[in-house]
Amino acid sequence: MKTYFRNTWLGIYTVLVGMKITFKHLFTPAVTIQYPEVKLKMPDRVRNRLYVNIDDCIGCDQCARACPVSCITIDTVKSIPGEDLGTTSNGKKKALWVTKFDIDIAKCCFCQLCVFPCPTECIYMTDVYEFSEYERERLVYKFSSLTEEEVNQKKLNLEKFQAEKEAQKAAAAAAAAAKPKPDAPAQPSAN
Amino acid sequence: MYQFIYDLTGNVIISTLVTAVFPLVNVLIVALIGVYLERKISAWIQDRVGPNRVGPFGLFQTVADFIKMMQKEDATPTDIDGKLYNLAPVLVFTGCFAAYAAIPFSSQLIGSEVEVGIFFILAVSSFTVAGILMAGWSSNNKYALLGAMRSAAQIVSYEIPTALVVLSMVMLMGTLSLTKISEMQTAYFWNWNILGGATLGLSKFLLIPFMIVGFIIIFISTLAEVNRTPFDIPEAESELVAGYFTEYCGMKWAMFMLAEYGNMFAVSAIVSILFFGGYHSPFGYLGNSLGINWLIPYEQAFWFVAKGWFFILVQMWLRWTLPRLRVDQLMSLCWKYLIPYAVVNLVVIGIISLL
Amino acid sequence: MGLLDKEFSDGNIVIAPVEDLFNWARLSSIWQLGFGLACCAIEMMATSMSHYDFDRFGVIPRNTPRQADAIIISGTVTLKMATRIKRLYEQMPAPKYIISMGSCANCGGPYWEHGYHVLKGIDRVIPVDVYVPGCPPRPEALLEGLLKLQDKIRNESLRKKSA
Amino acid sequence: MKNAEEIFNILKDNFGDAVIALDKDTPTEAVITVDPLKIHLVGEFLRTNEDMMFDSLMCLSGVDDANGKKVKDADGTDIIEGGTLSVYYHLHSVSLKHKITLKVSAPREDAKVESVENVWKCADWHEREAFDLVGIKFLNHPDLRRIMMPYDWEEGSHPLRKDYKNPEFYQGMKVPY
Amino acid sequence: MNYYDIIFYIFALITVISAGFVVTTRNVIYSAFFLLFTFFGVAGIYVLLAADFIAVVQIMVYVGGILILLLFGVMLTNKITNVDIRTGTGHLLPASVAVGILMGAVISIMVYTDWKSQPVETPVTTVKILGSLLLTDYVLVFELLGILLLIALIGAASIARREKE
Amino acid sequence: MSLKTETMVLNMGPQHPSTHGVLRLELKIDGELVLDVKPHLGYLHRCFEKHAEAMQYNQVVPYTDRLDYLAAMGNNWGYALAVEKLMGIQVPERVEYIRVIVAELQRIASHQVALGSNAADIGAFTPFLYLFRDREHILSIFEDTCGARMLYNYIWVGGLSHDIHPDFVKKVKEFVSYYKATIIELDNLLSYNKIFIERTANIGVLPLDTAINFGASGPALRGSGIPFDLRRDDPYSIYDRFDFEIPVGKGLQGQVGDCWDRYYVRVREMEQSLRIIEQAIDHIPEGDVQSAIPKRIKPPKGTVYTRIENPRGELGYFIISDGNTNPFRVKVRAPSFVNLEVLGELCKGHLVADVIAILGSIDIVLGEVDR
């Protein structure tokens, strides 16, 4: 009998206590961020969309190898001696044409592992988080600044250069003992 | 209301129809505003802002919901019992709608002054039960069936404490008519039943605690009858997905929602009629003091609607505060707590009223 | 019921204002079928919570596909799960929309290479309207995806059946 | 508190040949190798003996040792032939606070290990997982079905084996990227 | 024919037709739901007879209580919905004979009774009269019924509480 | 008189509002009474262990995040500890302190979700939102520190990916003082609410010996009344320096080991975590957080099993190294996986609604159960 009345009392009392709390909250200002109108300032270390400053990229492929997801694909073509590719912003000399620098942002797991090994700090994570798309294909970001023709041109150049070199070598070999030939341009690829 | 329109048009059918349209409009408005308010209040309680992008302050949110629901495809599951499936929402809605016939919105604005008003409302609410069972059974879905069973059991059992409290009030007032019950608690809040009724004397003060107990009981049990949290187990989303209307979509589902909100208003109205003076103003009438007699019914309607909404707000407030009970606890609350208290309350009120 | 069960025929009627109204209603009340699968589900929940408040856009979670307008596939879809998703999608009444949230739902995400049990992209099973990238996307990103979906609905026509 | 050597000696005294070896070479933990068909007896002893009281099985892991020779089968795919599959048991005593690691190895082609499900209840799902992903059969297990993979997944294919090849399709869905 | 007649016929039709369906339909659930409409029709007729209290009680007790209980029973016994109740044709003949005799008796009474059709003033409220009658003239019957119901309740509870063997 | 009743099989999930993800429960019910529960897992089997074998040691860390996505810090830490133990790396003092602080913050955040979803399953929606609201504070601290809200990839083998943010200490202190007051509100709103107590007390009682035999750990084990906490009983890192209590289930509202006890243990654990943070936050030594990170992670041949106290219980990593840059085998002893096993035992004889309360009180994360 005692527990019966106690239960009744507790039932009513705790409900009232709860109601008091929620009533208080009825008049607390909302914490909501009114998103499209108000946007939070992102912290400086925030990890969102990857960006590649292709001007600084030397095509070293370290980011692609660091990526656990293999969402970065880099193709490079060796430059021939006459070409000047310029230097990166921190003074490194570029030696490779980056013919392809694709990041499939749909696969990316935003772990930032690719950012650390980059010697020129050209790949980094931005604070852009709004990049939804209607088509899946548009989530593959192509960063290479070279057009298709230019890529073909570079490849052709290299081939021509190598052919010439070969010819020279052949000539040299004919003259003297042959040395091991340089290999075809490295074609590292993550997948 | 009926008389007024009958005088105006002189035609039984037209005046009946017009009278019938009024509660329909009321149900629609209650649902539209109710859903909006529910979302807003839950938002405020939870430190959010709630819908605010559709129209000013999100006012058109429910309108948009409604229009969207109208254009949804009427997808029906394959293995359902078509006839009952289609009939169920209508029946549920009828149960809710019929109750409005006897609710006095003001001394003039009343569908039908039936002598057995309060009993009538209790009775027609059983149509809702049948409709719910129908919906649950015909959906051919285990969740729906379980939800319907729970719901029916719940409504049937909670009718008993409701009826007991109503009985004690009927005993006290000596009438079943809602109009008369309202009329007897004359204007000014100290005459309300919750404060012992209009007749002055010892019994008035003796009654007050028992009236409060009665009010709590009937409030809890009507809350259960309209399946609101903490008694929303028929549609307990974490257990039964959406209870008896799991398989319903589009307008048919909207009818269940309309009925739910309509019922919320109906039970709030009953509570306010029984304990809070019905359509009476708590402070006397502006019409009286200004000498404008035609104003009084409008004032009464205002107060009535205001009281109804107040209790709806309390229901929402409770909903966003409390967890829900389990199905057996719900039953034991009804049979072990509410009914004994209600019976004792009934006896005590009977004794006091004999004094 | 369901006003749009019959398609409007081309020509005869000028239905532009009706269309606008209907599209407006549809885009303002996208009820989502809560489809939390993995990590993204937590961010999806966070989006409905106080700080981001999905409800502002008229989005409320419904638990039954019958009453939902959109699914937000949030998380890794495994082969075991894919058939269920398809079934739930089929149970939804038209018009229905799908937001693919997060890398995993977009294309398998981090699991695309060695994931022997991961479906590589939900679009292999059901048509997707908006892809929200991120792992998991910030709640704002999901909101932006929703706004994109609203844009898409705004330009829909009643004449051809949607989605 | 007993260290691995003491435990090994006690086990050796009690079980003789069933307890095969103590491997102390690993830098972090000593592993006692046990006969796969006697492991439930050893487990029961370890759990109930008053000096041991290993009442909790922390972890049970099935491992493909990949120590057989790599060959090409008829289709030209690499498979591993011979060698062993192993199960590691990490035990812990809540009351005595000591730990021990047991290991059993069974031949790859027909890996059979006694179940310890009725010694430690929690072995149930761990063993199902080891069966599902590595393909070790646990004798006397009450309910040895797949647990992670779908029940209708290709018979006899166990994804965590080192030579596992993914099927092309599952129920009409393309599996590889 | 005024409005009330029309309404009366509507209710009568509802009652008769749904009663017919209750008997003839093969699905138990359907019968139960048709019973709902029968009760509803009967209640309507009560209202037209100015017995509003009885009408309300009819709905409350039969629809709200008995019918729901019935439905519960039917739904809880899982398989019954799929089993057609046998409406055996073999017993059609004796049944129709019995019904025919009964119908004849009723119709003959209807025809041969000397019906007095004079307007009777309907009481304003039946509730009060009912109440006082129940507690004065028919108090014994009332109490007896109360005891009977109590016994039924206790019996049901004791059966329900018995441990399963 | 005996009534023959038929049992019904109710499928809960894989997509069900309260299975905390994609768990399928096959309930055999008699009316509302649960006779048997059969969980079916694997709807989120993301092949972590296969991935770990294909990755280099440091590349596995982002995948560990995705195991128990509510407590990613703990997962990173457990993995890092295992590899560190294998390689014999001693991490700097500063790293240890930061790890303890973020792990305790993560514990609070994880418990908030656990408690919130437990409450939401029982029907109390508002506490759920309050808890998530407070969780945002922690997430914002983490985001400042490492740039991600949920999956951090913060604790690396031998160190941390970033040093703490300059505002870190201030923000954490603010949070600690704010949250101490907020827990009281949670208690009043939910923990002592009569309906909540009715729903959880005496439900799903887990006796101590069953709990140990089933290998339960974390709050599920402590709720049964044994103060077993790896931070105290098998100390790792620098937990032996801090003074904190281990809350255990005492059966305040019912029997020891019921749902309410497990719930309450979590609430009190949040308080203890705040206590640890308070002790640690002022004593973070100066130093470099990345000095001990090896250039190339190539542990010697061998096996290692380490375990840490994650919010859900004992998280163990079993790593076999064959001396290569990739791990040979990584097996995760996921606390939820083991704790979930006990569900069938707990649910027998309860009602359908209780299954949800019990499941909520066990607190599983499917990413970890299925891996």
Side-chain angles (χ1 to χ4, degrees):
Chain A
M1 207 61 200
K2 207 178 142 199
T3 50
Y4 182 84
F5 288 116
R6 202 182 134 72
N7 279 345
T8 317
W9 164 243
L10 270 181
I12 295 171
Y13 174 73
T14 54
V15 164
L16 289 179
V17 168
M19 284 174 80
K20 198 183 117 205
I21 291 173
T22 42
F23 190 72
K24 221 166 55 202
H25 275 277
L26 210 51
F27 303 101
T28 344
V31 294
T32 310
I33 303 150
Q34 309 256 2
Y35 161 67
E37 289 87 32
V38 185
K39 287 179 187 174
L40 276 190
K41 197 187 159 291
M42 292 286 120
D44 6 311
R45 289 176 187 171
V46 79
R47 300 189 333 222
N48 282 310
R49 181 159 73 171
L50 268 175
Y51 181 74
V52 180
N53 184 359
I54 198 69
D55 293 341
D56 274 4
C57 180
I58 56 168
C60 64
D61 203 33
Q62 292 205 39
C63 47
R65 262 178 284 151
C67 180
V69 186
S70 325
C71 70
I72 306 175
T73 326
I74 301 175
D75 276 356
T76 51
V77 175
K78 259 190 190 164
S79 63
I80 53 176
E83 284 171 321
D84 181 28
L85 284 82
T87 52
T88 63
S89 52
N90 61 358
K92 272 209 171 136
K93 194 139 173 48
K94 292 204 255 180
L96 298 164
W97 291 109
V98 183
T99 53
K100 185 178 175 195
F101 199 121
D102 289 0
I103 298 183
D104 191 342
I105 208 79
K107 287 176 193 162
C108 177
C109 74
F110 300 84
C111 61
Q112 215 180 8
L113 282 178
C114 54
V115 174
F116 294 99
C118 183
T120 61
E121 291 176 9
C122 74
I123 183 168
Y124 51 88
M125 297 194 120
T126 58
D127 58 357
V128 182
Y129 51 81
E130 304 153 292
F131 50 109
S132 11
E133 294 289 353
Y134 295 125
E135 279 112 35
R136 158 89 177 78
E137 288 71 32
R138 291 174 56 90
L139 283 172
V140 182
Y141 290 178
K142 296 183 165 49
F143 286 100
S144 174
S145 55
L146 300 175
T147 60
E148 193 112 340
E149 288 152 34
E150 280 176 319
V151 170
N152 288 338
Q153 183 64 37
K154 303 290 180 235
K155 276 188 184 153
L156 219 67
N157 279 352
L158 184 69
E159 262 166 45
K160 224 187 268 172
F161 172 71
Q162 274 171 338
E164 274 169 28
K165 220 170 159 185
E166 213 94 321
Q168 277 175 2
K169 284 237 178 88
K179 280 181 182 176
K181 296 164 199 168
D183 224 9
Q187 292 272 336
S189 140
N191 25 345
Chain B
M1 172 86 176
Y2 173 77
Q3 200 57 44
F4 174 72
I5 295 168
Y6 184 73
D7 292 344
L8 213 68
T9 59
N11 186 313
V12 183
I13 291 184
I14 292 178
S15 44
T16 310
L17 285 179
V18 169
T19 324
V21 162
F22 175 73
L24 189 67
V25 172
N26 186 61
V27 171
L28 274 174
I29 292 174
V30 165
L32 278 182
I33 301 178
V35 173
Y36 174 73
L37 263 186
E38 174 111 81
R39 288 167 83 166
K40 271 295 191 192
I41 282 183
S42 71
W44 289 332
I45 281 182
Q46 296 159 350
D47 294 350
R48 300 186 283 132
V49 286
N52 72 343
R53 293 184 60 80
V54 189
F57 306 106
L59 275 173
F60 299 142
Q61 184 60 57
T62 35
V63 183
D65 287 345
F66 192 74
I67 298 176
K68 178 209 72 183
M69 258 187 283
M70 283 199 309
Q71 47 174 322
K72 284 296 265 187
E73 175 196 358
D74 186 29
T76 46
T78 40
D79 292 332
I80 52 154
D81 193 319
K83 287 171 218 143
L84 296 183
Y85 177 84
N86 291 329
L87 190 62
V90 180
L91 205 59
V92 170
F93 188 71
T94 313
C96 152
F97 183 53
Y100 277 81
I103 294 177
F105 279 75
S106 79
S107 53
Q108 306 294 313
L109 201 62
I110 175 168
S112 157
E113 273 183 68
V114 273
E115 197 54 44
V116 288
I118 183 82
F119 258 43
F120 171 76
I121 293 177
L122 289 182
V124 288
S125 69
S126 52
F127 278 106
T128 315
V129 188
I132 287 172
L133 275 176
M134 213 182 242
W137 188 81
S138 67
S139 292
N140 193 22
N141 177 318
K142 284 170 189 165
Y143 290 122
L145 186 62
L146 272 180
M149 297 292 215
R150 284 178 174 194
S151 184
Q154 174 180 336
I155 296 177
V156 169
S157 5
Y158 273 86
E159 250 171 37
I160 299 169
T162 316
L164 282 173
V165 174
V166 166
L167 209 61
S168 61
M169 295 314 293
V170 167
M171 216 162 64
L172 199 66
M173 313 298 286
T175 175
L176 285 169
S177 159
L178 286 169
T179 331
K180 281 185 190 147
I181 293 177
S182 306
E183 209 55 64
M184 281 160 89
Q185 312 168 49
T186 52
Y188 303 113
F189 62 87
W190 53 82
N191 289 331
W192 291 354
N193 276 344
I194 190 86
L195 293 176
T199 44
L200 208 61
L202 179 66
S203 63
K204 179 175 163 79
F205 297 102
L206 280 178
L207 273 175
I208 293 176
F210 299 100
M211 283 297 164
I212 292 173
V213 171
F215 162 66
I216 293 174
I217 291 170
I218 198 170
F219 188 74
I220 294 175
S221 46
T222 51
L223 208 59
E225 275 201 64
V226 293
N227 297 339
R228 297 285 298 179
T229 313
F231 309 104
D232 66 339
I233 49 160
E235 50 204 87
E237 49 198 21
S238 56
E239 299 150 33
L240 295 183
V241 186
Y244 54 86
F245 47 65
T246 302
E247 295 283 358
Y248 282 88
C249 62
M251 277 317 284
K252 283 180 204 148
W253 181 70
M255 281 179 91
F256 281 115
M257 276 337 253
L258 281 182
E260 181 179 335
Y261 281 89
N263 274 332
M264 269 166 77
F265 188 83
V267 296
S268 304
I270 292 173
V271 170
S272 71
I273 288 167
L274 286 182
F275 288 98
F276 291 88
Y279 48 70
H280 279 303
S281 151
F283 318 110
Y285 293 107
L286 214 60
N288 269 341
S289 41
L290 294 180
I292 317 169
N293 268 335
W294 57 263
L295 195 63
I296 293 175
Y298 295 100
E299 273 186 74
Q300 286 175 332
F302 166 77
W303 283 112
F304 187 77
V305 172
K307 283 172 192 168
W309 276 106
F310 173 76
F311 286 109
I312 290 185
L313 292 185
V314 175
Q315 286 178 0
M316 289 174 180
W317 177 15
L318 269 172
R319 168 166 183 182
W320 296 105
T321 304
L322 297 179
R324 77 172 66 83
L325 283 164
R326 205 174 52 209
V327 63
D328 62 323
Q329 287 163 352
L330 182 100
M331 288 299 159
S332 71
L333 172 69
C334 177
W335 293 96
K336 287 195 190 151
Y337 289 88
L338 292 183
I339 292 179
Y341 279 120
V343 168
V344 172
N345 208 39
L346 174 74
V347 172
V348 172
I349 288 177
I351 292 170
I352 292 176
S353 67
L354 282 181
L355 286 179
Chain C
M1 287 172 210
L3 282 177
L4 294 190
D5 282 359
K6 288 197 198 77
E7 291 175 42
F8 284 92
S9 56
D10 255 327
N12 301 338
I13 342 158
V14 182
I15 54 167
V18 183
E19 203 172 271
D20 284 351
L21 177 72
F22 279 11
N23 282 346
W24 167 80
R26 233 188 267 176
L27 71 90
S28 334
S29 111
I30 298 173
W31 291 1
Q32 62 134 328
L33 175 67
F35 214 98
L37 292 169
C39 337
C40 292
I42 308 295
E43 283 299 66
M44 188 180 75
M45 275 150 76
T47 319
S48 347
M49 296 299 152
S50 310
H51 266 261
Y52 298 97
D53 196 7
F54 239 157
D55 203 12
R56 287 192 302 123
F57 300 84
V59 178
I60 46 174
R62 294 300 315 171
N63 291 318
T64 149
R66 302 269 176 218
Q67 291 145 22
D69 308 297
I71 317 184
I72 299 178
I73 307 280
S74 52
T76 316
V77 183
T78 57
L79 296 175
K80 212 169 174 178
M81 195 68 202
T83 42
R84 267 90 177 173
I85 287 183
K86 193 157 193 241
R87 195 184 306 159
L88 277 178
Y89 175 72
E90 279 159 1
Q91 280 178 0
M92 280 169 62
K96 48 191 170 183
Y97 306 98
I98 292 168
I99 298 179
S100 158
M101 176 188 184
S103 292
C104 296
N106 289 347
C107 71
Y111 302 97
W112 71 274
E113 205 176 0
H114 306 286
Y116 49 82
H117 188 228
V118 176
L119 184 75
K120 278 84 179 178
I122 187 65
D123 43 8
R124 292 186 181 188
V125 188
I126 49 177
V128 176
D129 287 294
V130 177
Y131 294 87
V132 182
C135 194
R138 291 182 61 84
E140 287 105 323
L142 180 59
L143 291 180
E144 195 250 356
L146 185 82
L147 291 176
K148 274 241 163 81
L149 179 62
Q150 292 191 339
D151 279 342
K152 188 174 185 174
I153 300 172
R154 190 169 289 128
N155 298 320
E156 254 177 10
S157 170
L158 293 179
R159 290 190 191 88
K160 60 177 195 313
K161 267 246 157 114
S162 54
Chain D
M1 282 290 267
K2 288 214 167 359
N3 65 21
E5 203 142 347
E6 290 164 346
I7 293 170
F8 176 73
N9 289 333
I10 294 174
L11 284 181
K12 196 82 194 162
D13 292 346
N14 280 284
F15 290 95
D17 284 348
V19 182
I20 297 166
L22 171 69
D23 178 11
K24 286 193 293 184
D25 291 344
T26 62
T28 52
E29 56 190 18
V31 179
I32 298 175
T33 313
V34 182
D35 184 349
L37 300 178
K38 296 274 165 51
I39 179 69
H40 61 298
L41 301 175
V42 177
E44 186 65 46
F45 174 76
L46 285 175
R47 186 169 72 92
T48 47
N49 188 287
E50 274 175 21
D51 290 340
M52 306 293 184
M53 297 290 276
F54 283 106
D55 43 12
S56 152
L57 173 71
M58 292 189 289
C59 185
L60 185 154
S61 348
V63 178
D64 177 9
D65 292 327
N67 49 5
K69 51 180 196 296
K70 290 196 174 66
V71 292
K72 285 203 189 297
D73 71 352
D75 305 335
T77 47
D78 290 321
I79 57 161
I80 300 174
E81 242 173 35
T84 52
L85 302 175
S86 300
V87 183
Y88 285 81
Y89 302 81
H90 292 87
L91 307 180
H92 171 245
S93 163
V94 174
S95 44
L96 299 177
K97 303 202 166 146
H98 52 189
K99 292 189 262 189
I100 188 67
T101 310
L102 303 181
K103 175 190 174 185
V104 301
S105 292
R108 185 184 183 86
E109 269 67 41
D110 185 28
K112 282 190 181 129
V113 178
E114 273 293 335
S115 166
V116 293
E117 189 267 341
N118 44 22
V119 185
W120 298 284
K121 265 286 184 213
C122 70
D124 183 353
W125 284 8
H126 278 301
E127 286 179 353
R128 272 178 71 186
E129 190 193 320
F131 164 73
D132 184 4
L133 300 181
V134 188
I136 300 163
K137 286 190 190 63
F138 289 91
L139 306 173
N140 299 326
H141 188 281
D143 181 27
L144 199 63
R145 286 174 301 151
R146 286 192 182 272
I147 184 166
M148 295 297 174
M149 309 299 286
Y151 297 122
D152 57 349
W153 193 258
E154 209 177 322
E155 193 71 26
S157 98
H158 302 286
L160 271 193
R161 289 207 182 174
K162 291 281 178 186
D163 57 348
Y164 173 72
K165 283 279 166 306
N166 231 358
E168 199 62 28
F169 284 96
Y170 169 71
Q171 291 199 352
M173 289 173 284
K174 194 166 163 239
V175 179
Y177 184 70
Chain E
M1 198 185 216
N2 61 13
Y3 300 121
Y4 287 99
D5 290 339
I6 297 173
I7 295 172
F8 169 78
Y9 283 115
I10 291 174
F11 278 121
L13 268 179
I14 290 177
T15 313
V16 171
I17 292 176
S18 53
F21 273 119
V22 170
V23 187
T24 52
T25 184
R26 279 161 179 260
N27 192 329
V28 191
I29 290 280
Y30 277 22
S31 318
F33 281 119
F34 278 118
L35 200 59
L36 170 84
F37 292 107
T38 317
F39 288 144
F40 178 69
V42 172
I45 291 170
Y46 280 140
V47 170
L48 290 178
L49 291 173
D52 46 2
F53 184 75
I54 303 292
V56 166
V57 167
Q58 160 90 9
I59 291 182
M60 206 166 177
V61 171
Y62 281 94
V63 178
I66 291 177
L67 184 75
I68 301 299
L69 212 69
L70 219 96
L71 280 172
F72 246 79
V74 174
M75 286 182 184
L76 278 174
T77 48
N78 217 352
K79 282 216 178 105
I80 204 162
T81 51
N82 304 328
V83 178
D84 292 335
I85 297 175
R86 288 170 60 98
T87 43
T89 43
H91 305 292
L92 204 59
L93 193 72
S96 47
V97 169
V99 169
I101 293 172
L102 208 66
M103 282 289 279
V106 170
I107 289 172
S108 65
I109 291 171
M110 273 167 67
V111 172
Y112 293 113
T113 311
D114 181 20
W115 294 99
K116 286 183 190 135
S117 57
Q118 82 191 62
V120 182
E121 194 160 322
T122 50
V124 183
T125 163
T126 51
V127 185
K128 236 173 199 146
I129 303 165
L130 264 175
S132 50
L133 276 179
L134 274 182
L135 289 181
T136 51
D137 291 2
Y138 301 103
V139 67
L140 185 66
V141 183
F142 184 67
E143 298 275 298
L144 274 176
L145 280 175
I147 290 169
L148 182 72
L149 282 176
L150 186 70
I151 291 169
L153 256 171
I154 293 171
S158 85
I159 288 173
R161 279 188 70 90
R162 198 172 290 168
E163 295 294 316
K164 277 181 196 164
E165 276 93 305
Chain F
M1 197 177 89
S2 79
L3 289 168
K4 194 176 154 289
T5 51
E6 243 175 277
T7 56
M8 176 157 105
V9 174
L10 188 71
N11 246 322
M12 223 183 219
Q15 215 295 304
H16 186 277
S18 66
T19 49
H20 294 232
V22 282
L23 174 69
R24 181 174 143 222
L25 297 177
E26 200 182 306
L27 305 180
K28 208 159 138 212
I29 54 176
D30 176 4
E32 293 248 354
L33 200 71
V34 177
L35 301 177
D36 196 16
V37 181
K38 257 197 206 142
H40 295 263
L41 321 177
Y43 290 93
L44 194 57
H45 180 50
R46 301 195 277 194
C47 334
F48 165 77
E49 284 158 17
K50 192 82 177 173
H51 279 90
E53 289 170 20
M55 300 286 151
Q56 290 167 10
Y57 278 96
N58 62 336
Q59 288 177 332
V60 178
V61 179
Y63 285 93
T64 61
D65 279 332
R66 284 157 180 81
L67 288 175
D68 180 351
Y69 36 81
L70 288 177
M73 286 291 181
N75 288 272
N76 289 351
W77 196 6
Y79 176 78
L81 264 184
V83 181
E84 279 159 14
K85 200 168 164 193
L86 204 55
M87 295 175 74
I89 298 174
Q90 184 61 46
V91 296
E93 195 86 327
R94 182 178 176 83
V95 174
E96 296 279 26
Y97 269 93
I98 295 172
R99 283 182 179 181
V100 166
I101 292 168
V102 292
E104 293 305 319
L105 281 175
Q106 181 76 87
R107 188 184 310 280
I108 295 171
S110 165
H111 280 344
Q112 280 169 342
V113 178
L115 299 175
S117 41
N118 194 357
D121 288 349
I122 287 171
F125 220 73
T126 304
F128 186 36
L129 275 94
Y130 288 170
L131 285 158
F132 259 76
R133 180 197 63 200
D134 299 332
R135 179 170 172 268
E136 288 289 326
H137 293 263
I138 299 176
L139 296 193
S140 104
I141 292 173
F142 284 158
E143 198 175 20
D144 280 351
T145 308
C146 65
R149 277 165 56 86
M150 263 180 70
L151 309 175
Y152 310 108
N153 184 21
Y154 183 59
I155 297 176
W156 284 2
V157 178
L160 303 168
S161 73
H162 300 82
D163 202 344
I164 50 173
H165 194 266
D167 290 346
F168 182 79
V169 175
K170 193 179 116 243
K171 273 194 151 182
V172 170
K173 277 183 177 166
E174 266 171 26
F175 172 76
V176 169
S177 57
Y178 161 77
Y179 202 57
K180 271 192 171 164
T182 317
I183 289 184
I184 297 167
E185 194 184 87
L186 173 72
D187 274 344
N188 283 333
L189 182 56
L190 188 65
S191 312
Y192 302 130
N193 184 294
K194 186 72 186 156
I195 299 177
F196 184 75
I197 291 172
E198 284 292 318
R199 282 298 304 275
T200 48
N202 291 324
I203 301 297
V205 179
L206 179 62
L208 185 56
D209 51 338
T210 319
I212 291 176
N213 200 273
F214 269 94
S217 54
L221 178 63
R222 289 192 284 275
S224 300
I226 182 173
F228 183 79
D229 189 319
L230 293 176
R231 292 176 291 176
R232 175 75 55 79
D233 288 81
D234 191 4
Y236 53 97
S237 185
I238 49 163
Y239 273 113
D240 41 4
R241 297 183 197 174
F242 302 116
D243 173 35
F244 60 98
E245 283 160 28
I246 300 168
V248 292
K250 297 198 187 81
L252 288 179
Q253 306 290 349
Q255 283 165 275
V256 178
D258 56 13
C259 287
W260 193 83
D261 271 351
R262 286 193 284 275
Y263 163 88
Y264 200 62
V265 161
R266 286 198 183 91
V267 179
R268 297 281 81 89
E269 250 176 45
M270 295 204 295
E271 274 178 353
Q272 296 306 321
S273 290
L274 290 175
R275 239 176 105 185
I276 297 176
I277 296 169
E278 266 185 333
Q279 292 169 42
I281 191 75
D282 281 328
H283 301 101
I284 305 177
E286 291 300 316
D288 185 9
V289 295
Q290 292 185 316
S291 59
I293 296 178
K295 276 268 164 311
R296 203 172 134 79
I297 305 175
K298 204 172 168 187
K301 244 178 140 151
T303 64
V304 66
Y305 179 83
T306 55
R307 47 184 192 160
I308 65 161
E309 183 73 29
N310 223 32
R312 271 158 203 83
E314 172 186 334
L315 173 74
Y317 280 93
F318 173 55
I319 299 178
I320 303 181
S321 153
D322 59 350
N324 272 326
T325 51
N326 291 8
F328 181 76
R329 172 88 166 90
V330 177
K331 154 97 187 182
V332 184
R333 187 265 192 215
S336 309
F337 178 75
V338 182
N339 288 352
L340 182 59
E341 254 188 283
V342 90
L343 180 75
E345 206 67 18
L346 292 186
C347 288
K348 268 174 207 159
H350 285 301
L351 301 180
V352 178
D354 292 333
V355 174
I356 283 140
I358 292 168
L359 192 65
S361 76
I362 295 177
D363 179 24
I364 50 162
V365 167
L366 262 296
E368 183 178 64
V369 174
D370 295 344
R371 276 157 286 148

